[in-house]
């Protein structure tokens, strides 16, 4: 599998939630046909109204064929200027490549849904740019069991060409602090958008 985090801007969450969204920490294991992904992230408001907030993601990807472990660390600070729109600043470390990040964001959330999208750029010469989207939806099935669905899309490019795109789909059930279900990771590479995919199961702890 040709997946390389050297060309990925990662899962960039420039998040500026409405005040009724609460802090969250998630630990997820995705076990797929080609790779295992273990990630831990947290989001919290630095101010009580969540206008100034922080998101931090740390992730390890283990490729079964190459037996390679790839580490990603990403932290971004967001500020809600107007109805979810605002700037973001952060930093990322991937396989020894460290970069500052700057961009714009939009986010909206409620008790059952989340929508966040941003456009960001590396603060360096010949930077990678990214368009990112995250949507999440959940609804109750019983008093204790909920449906959970999540979709992420990340499109990465520079001034010359498309570099790499990633989609992650998660569908499952939520019970108390646990979530479990199925997942699909798909990838597109280069100007030809060569396609690859990886199916598997997920287990998450959310608190």
């Amino acid at each position: 599998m040709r997946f390389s985090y050297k060309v990925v801007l990662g899962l960039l969450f420039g998040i500026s939630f409405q005040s009724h969204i609460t802090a969250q920490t998630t630990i997820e294991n995705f076990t797929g046909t080609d790779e295992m992904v273990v990630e831990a992230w947290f989001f919290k408001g630095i101010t009580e109204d969540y206008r100034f907030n922080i998101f931090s993601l740390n992730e390890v990807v283990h490729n079964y064929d190459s037996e390679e472990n790839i580490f990603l660390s990403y932290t971004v600070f967001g500020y809600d200027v107007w109805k979810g729109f605002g700037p973001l600043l952060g930093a990322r470390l991937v396989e020894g490549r460290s970069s500052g990040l700057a961009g714009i964001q939009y986010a909206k959330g409620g008790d059952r849904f989340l929508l966040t999208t941003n456009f960001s750029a590396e603060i360096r010469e010949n930077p990678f740019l990214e368009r990112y989207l995250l949507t999440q939806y959940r609804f109750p099935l019983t008093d204790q069991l909920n449906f959970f669905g999540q979709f992420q899309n990340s499109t990465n490019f520079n001034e010359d060409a498309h570099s790499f795109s990633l989609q992650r789909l998660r569908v499952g059930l939520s019970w108390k602090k646990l979530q479990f279900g199925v997942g699909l990771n798909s990838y597109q590479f280069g100007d030809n958008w060569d396609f690859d995919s990886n199916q598997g199961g997920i287990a998450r702890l959310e608190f």
Side-chain angles (χ1 to χ4, degrees):
M1 183 179 179
R2 295 176 299 169
F3 175 62
S4 173
Y5 270 82
K6 291 181 179 180
V7 295
V8 180
L9 294 188
L11 304 177
L12 306 185
F13 291 75
I15 296 180
S16 180
F17 288 112
Q18 311 296 343
S19 61
H20 58 273
I21 298 298
T22 58
Q24 185 180 128
T25 299
T26 298
I27 301 171
E28 178 185 287
N29 177 271
F30 170 82
T31 303
T33 54
D34 297 322
E35 67 187 7
M36 176 182 292
V37 182
V38 179
E39 69 176 28
W41 60 266
F42 72 86
F43 166 78
K44 64 182 299 184
I46 296 175
T47 57
E48 187 176 351
D49 61 1
Y50 278 69
R51 174 157 288 189
F52 189 32
N53 53 71
I54 180 174
F55 176 85
S56 184
L57 168 73
N58 292 280
E59 178 175 292
V60 176
V61 180
H62 175 73
N63 186 281
Y64 301 145
D65 293 334
S66 66
E67 297 186 352
E68 181 182 15
N69 294 311
I70 301 169
F71 176 71
L72 164 70
S73 182
Y74 171 82
T75 299
V76 65
F77 297 89
Y79 185 75
D80 182 355
V81 174
W82 181 73
K83 295 184 177 181
F85 288 96
L88 66 86
L89 289 172
R92 183 190 61 250
L93 174 63
V94 185
E95 292 188 319
R97 177 187 172 103
S98 59
S99 299
L101 299 171
I104 57 175
Q105 63 178 7
Y106 171 74
K108 187 174 183 179
D111 294 334
R112 296 186 180 182
F113 77 97
L114 167 68
L115 168 64
T116 180
T117 185
N118 65 42
F119 181 83
S120 62
E122 293 180 315
I123 305 173
R124 62 184 303 158
E125 185 177 357
N126 191 27
F128 281 105
L129 311 175
E130 185 204 35
R131 293 190 300 263
Y132 179 78
L133 169 72
L134 168 71
T135 60
Q136 188 181 93
Y137 184 70
R138 65 186 74 202
F139 60 85
L141 297 173
T142 68
D143 291 340
Q144 294 189 355
L145 199 63
N146 295 277
F147 168 85
F148 170 82
Q150 180 176 290
F151 176 73
Q152 302 171 46
N153 180 78
S154 173
T155 302
N156 304 272
F157 54 96
N158 57 28
E159 62 180 6
D160 298 320
H162 170 259
S163 180
F164 176 88
S165 292
L166 160 71
Q167 296 81 42
R168 285 182 173 174
L169 177 65
R170 305 290 188 256
V171 177
L173 299 175
S174 179
W175 177 73
K176 295 184 179 180
K177 296 181 179 181
L178 300 177
Q179 296 173 343
F180 48 91
V182 295
L184 172 67
N185 294 352
S186 59
Y187 312 95
Q188 298 83 43
F189 303 89
D191 283 338
N192 294 327
W193 293 73
D194 296 332
F195 180 81
D196 199 359
S197 64
N198 182 27
Q199 305 80 34
I202 62 165
R204 293 163 56 112
L205 178 63
E206 185 178 285
F207 52 94

